[in-house]
């Protein structure tokens, strides 16, 4: 019997077999390998002995007993899954409580919870833009923002990183068009903050809405971890919308959009990643709500994450490495190239330290890095051990 990729008439005529439908993936794999860009899944054990500076568990809450018990209790009471979309059977009273308390904590009128932060960004950008409109996006924005812009009906203009002047100029060049300006609050690669005051001023001068992804600021920055927008005095403004994740500082899973009540109501009716997606699992909602309440009860916890980040930066730069000064809990250490970054991370792992490795195309500037998470629960001894391991394994050209 002929193979799927081979036509019997072609074989009879002496022709070779047709290319398989996915043969091109082998060429793509060879190119990735040649450029040092192969990604590999590494399933971890439940009880890893690695010192973890790779995750986004900024406050060290994902394994706190009160958080895991809240997840288990929610699953026991509400079930393992949400059972359907939020508009059918996927909304529980637990989801509603989480949304109310999240909005109140961050200083917004209302909130809407999604199955992921990625879905929240897609929702905000696709549902809050119009076909004749404009989206102005920072060049270093996260991939979820980039994809939201691609899916939106509006035209997208990409502006230089952290440049309110470029934003204002772009808005001025498109007078009268409904416009959104979108930016990360804290950028995930180098951990630097967006100039939110300048962005808000540009938006208000031209009547644009401001959408800010506070995934890496919420739980770390602002009074008691209330986020970057709260710190900037922009939380609750009628022309400002925030997106965030429940999977970083809250140690759970999911995402949310926060903003004016009329905006949230519009998302319920228009956001496809809300309408057509299964709701967030009750266990994740229960864990996120417990973490939110814990942060409110322990306001020193977010500040500790910032202190750890600054300590890591000070020790690494003192050793001769090039590291970006952190504005939140992300510490970025530059590597000579993608292959060196990959080897560096692997060498750290062999010595018991887990670190992130960012390479193109994940980094917008093409510079490979180790990415460190400054967790609030790291001890001083663990910080010193991590720095010693990174310095010891540094490749030629990093020091």
């Amino acid at each position: 019997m002929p193979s799927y990729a081979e036509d019997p008439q072609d074989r009879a005529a002496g022709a070779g077999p047709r290319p398989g439908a996915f043969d091109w993936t082998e060429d793509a794999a060879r190119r990735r390998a040649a450029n040092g860009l192969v990604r590999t899944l590494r399933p971890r054990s439940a009880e890893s002995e690695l010192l973890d500076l790779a995750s986004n568990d900024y406050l060290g809450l994902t394994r706190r007993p009160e958080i895991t018990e809240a997840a288990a209790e929610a699953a026991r009471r509400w079930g393992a899954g949400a059972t359907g979309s939020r508009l059918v059977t996927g909304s529980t009273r637990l989801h509603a409580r989480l949304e109310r308390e999240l909005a109140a904590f961050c200083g917004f009128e209302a909130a809407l919870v999604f199955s992921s932060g990625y879905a929240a960004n897609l929702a905000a950008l696709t549902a809050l833009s119009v076909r004749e409109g404009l989206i102005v996006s920072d060049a270093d924005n996260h991939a979820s923002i980039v994809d939201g812009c691609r899916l939106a009906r509006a035209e997208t203009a990409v502006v230089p990183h952290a440049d309110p002047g470029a934003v204002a100029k772009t808005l001025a060049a498109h007078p009268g068009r409904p416009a959104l300006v979108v930016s990360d609050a804290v950028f995930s690669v180098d951990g630097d903050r967006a100039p939110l005051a300048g962005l808000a001023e540009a938006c208000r001068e031209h009547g644009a809405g401001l959408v800010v992804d506070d995934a890496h600021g919420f739980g770390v920055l602002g009074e008691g971890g209330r986020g970057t927008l709260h710190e900037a005095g922009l939380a609750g403004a009628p022309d400002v919308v925030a997106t965030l994740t429940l999977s970083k500082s809250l140690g759970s899973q999911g995402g949310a959009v926060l903003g004016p009540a009329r905006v949230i109501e519009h998302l319920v009716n228009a956001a496809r990643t809300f309408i057509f997606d299964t709701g967030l699992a009750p266990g994740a909602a229960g864990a996120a709500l417990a973490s939110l309440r814990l942060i409110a009860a322990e306001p020193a916890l977010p500040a500790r994450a910032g202190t750890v980040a600054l300590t890591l930066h000070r020790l690494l730069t003192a050793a001769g490495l090039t590291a970006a000064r952190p504005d939140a809990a992300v510490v970025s250490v530059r590597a000579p190239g993608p292959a060196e970054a990959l080897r560096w991370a692997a060498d750290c792992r062999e010595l018991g330290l887990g670190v992130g490795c960012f390479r193109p195309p994940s980094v917008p500037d093409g510079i490979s890095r180790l990415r460190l998470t400054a967790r609030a629960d790291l001890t001083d001894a663990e910080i010193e051990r991590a720095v010693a391991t990174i310095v010891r394994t540094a490749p030629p050209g990093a020091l």
Side-chain angles (χ1 to χ4, degrees):
M1 183 175 179
S3 69
Y4 176 80
E6 186 178 353
D7 187 293
Q9 292 182 346
D10 288 344
R11 183 177 58 175
R18 291 179 180 175
F22 301 112
D23 286 356
W24 61 268
T25 63
E26 296 180 8
D27 291 333
R30 283 190 288 269
R31 288 194 298 271
R32 283 194 295 270
N35 291 315
L37 299 179
V38 175
R39 288 162 171 78
T40 304
L41 291 173
R42 294 186 179 89
R44 60 179 173 87
S45 63
E47 301 297 335
S48 173
E49 295 183 358
L50 285 177
L51 175 58
D52 174 26
L53 269 72
S55 74
N56 288 318
D57 186 19
Y58 292 142
L59 302 184
L61 298 184
T62 194
R63 287 184 175 272
R64 285 271 295 247
E66 54 265 63
I67 307 306
T68 55
E69 178 54 33
E73 173 57 27
R76 285 191 292 266
R77 182 174 184 186
W78 298 100
T83 76
S85 74
R86 292 287 308 276
L87 290 172
V88 184
T89 58
S91 285
T92 69
R93 292 177 182 175
L94 181 62
H95 291 82
R97 283 199 296 272
L98 174 59
E99 287 166 343
R100 287 195 302 270
E101 294 191 26
L102 187 60
F105 181 78
C106 295
F108 285 85
E109 192 173 8
L112 190 65
V113 166
F114 290 76
S115 61
S116 71
Y118 208 109
N121 273 341
L122 295 187
L125 293 169
T126 57
L128 298 179
S129 60
V130 294
R131 191 177 303 278
E132 67 275 14
L134 176 72
I135 300 176
V136 183
S137 178
D138 189 287
D140 285 8
N141 276 338
H142 187 264
S144 59
I145 295 177
V146 173
D147 287 352
C149 291
R150 289 171 175 169
L151 290 171
R153 294 169 291 176
E155 175 188 354
T156 297
V158 178
V159 294
H161 177 53
D163 189 344
V167 171
K169 184 177 180 180
T170 302
L171 292 172
H174 299 83
R177 295 177 66 178
L180 292 176
V181 173
V182 60
S183 177
D184 282 312
V186 175
F187 292 88
S188 61
V189 175
D190 273 336
D192 57 316
R193 294 196 210 192
L196 292 184
L199 294 179
E201 181 180 356
C203 286
R204 288 166 180 170
E205 181 181 353
H206 298 280
L210 178 60
V211 177
V212 178
D213 180 355
D214 204 17
H216 299 278
F218 169 64
V220 177
L221 299 176
E223 179 189 351
R226 285 171 171 79
T228 317
L229 286 162
H230 189 279
E231 184 180 51
L234 295 171
D239 54 354
V240 174
V241 169
T243 65
L244 50 82
T245 176
L246 313 178
S247 65
K248 294 181 172 59
S249 290
L250 296 187
S252 181
Q253 189 167 346
V257 180
L258 295 79
R262 64 178 181 173
V263 169
I264 299 305
E265 181 183 4
H266 176 73
L267 294 180
V268 170
N269 288 276
R272 294 175 67 84
T273 55
F274 180 82
I275 297 170
F276 298 107
D277 191 21
T278 298
L280 182 67
L289 181 58
S291 289
L292 184 65
R293 292 171 174 175
L294 189 150
I295 294 172
E298 298 184 17
L301 194 61
R304 171 62 183 171
T307 298
V308 171
L310 291 172
T311 302
L312 283 168
H313 175 265
R314 176 175 56 81
L315 295 176
L316 290 166
T317 53
L321 294 169
T322 301
R325 181 176 175 82
D327 285 332
V330 174
V331 181
S332 171
V333 185
R334 296 201 172 191
E340 292 87 348
L342 192 64
R343 182 71 258 168
W344 197 357
D347 289 344
C348 286
R349 176 175 289 272
E350 289 180 5
L351 295 179
L353 174 67
V355 297
C357 177
F358 275 28
R359 299 164 290 152
S362 298
V363 287
D365 58 8
I367 298 173
S368 298
R369 300 161 168 83
L370 296 188
R371 181 185 181 276
L372 316 179
T373 299
R375 293 200 338 265
D377 60 338
L378 290 177
T379 66
D380 291 345
E382 287 172 330
I383 295 170
E384 293 174 1
R385 173 188 158 196
V387 170
T389 300
I390 292 167
V391 173
R392 176 182 172 186
T393 57
L399 286 171

